[in-house]
Amino acid sequence: MPTRKKPARRTRVLVGGAALAVVGAGVVGTVAASAADSTGATPAAVPVAARGGELTQSTHLSVDAATKAARAALAAAEKDGRQVSVAVVDRDGNTVVTLRGDGAGPQSYESAERKAYTAVSWNAPTSELAKRLAQAPNLKDIPGTLFLAGGTPVTAKGAPVAGIGVAGAPSGDLDERYAQAGAAVLGR
């Protein structure tokens, strides 16, 4: 009678692991099945409420206010005969409103968003932030930012709540002037 060869260690481990997986799946299925109520439906998870001390509060511009600011910035540029794009982002850097003026260059749309994001992130006009690059040149490597004049923050009680970015005018100084015109209508 031929002798039976003992399976290799690797084979035993693989077979044992597969057996455990099958048993584990059966246990999970049994537990899931027993969790169902008499109608066969699984009970809904109960929401957990956070305590007041575990929460923060944040202020954001409304869509109407963001639109009002963007329109004012665009109107200021159009009054000077400039073709620009305007973006307003919320405190978290999410775009709320973007307006691309008639004839504005294709690059101006993204540049306006990035200037607005940069202004709200540092709570400073992007013209001031551009000056900081001399001391910290790696700032420009932060994704989504653009350290060129044309972005201004909007604050409430000293904290940033939005950023307005303008791009497309012949200079960043003009872009920033139009962004500030947009912010100015919010204080009225």
Side-chain angles (χ1 to χ4, degrees), residues 31-123:
V31 170
S34 66
D37 64 16
S38 62
T39 64
T42 303
V46 178
V48 178
R51 294 184 305 246
E54 297 171 338
L55 304 174
T56 61
Q57 187 170 359
S58 181
T59 304
H60 295 268
L61 283 184
S62 67
V63 171
D64 289 340
T67 302
K68 178 180 174 182
R71 288 186 186 278
L74 187 61
E78 288 174 343
K79 183 179 174 188
D80 286 350
R82 306 297 179 194
Q83 301 159 330
V84 302
S85 290
V86 180
V88 179
V89 300
D90 67 13
R91 173 62 190 113
D92 300 323
N94 299 309
T95 303
V96 179
V97 175
T98 306
L99 298 176
R100 185 172 173 267
D102 295 335
Q107 79 290 351
S108 65
Y109 188 88
E110 182 180 347
S111 296
E113 285 182 326
R114 291 175 61 193
K115 289 178 183 183
Y117 175 82
T118 305
V120 74
S121 294
W122 277 272
N123 194 23

Side-chain angles (χ1 to χ4, degrees), residues 106-169:
Q107 79 290 351
S108 65
Y109 188 88
E110 182 180 347
S111 296
E113 285 182 326
R114 291 175 61 193
K115 289 178 183 183
Y117 175 82
T118 305
V120 74
S121 294
W122 277 272
N123 194 23
T126 53
S127 60
E128 292 300 317
L129 296 170
K131 295 174 189 173
R132 294 182 194 175
L133 288 178
Q135 288 78 35
N138 291 345
L139 282 177
K140 70 181 179 337
D141 298 332
I142 297 172
T145 59
L146 186 57
F147 291 87
L148 298 174
T152 192
V154 176
T155 61
K157 298 179 184 176
V161 295
I164 301 173
V166 176

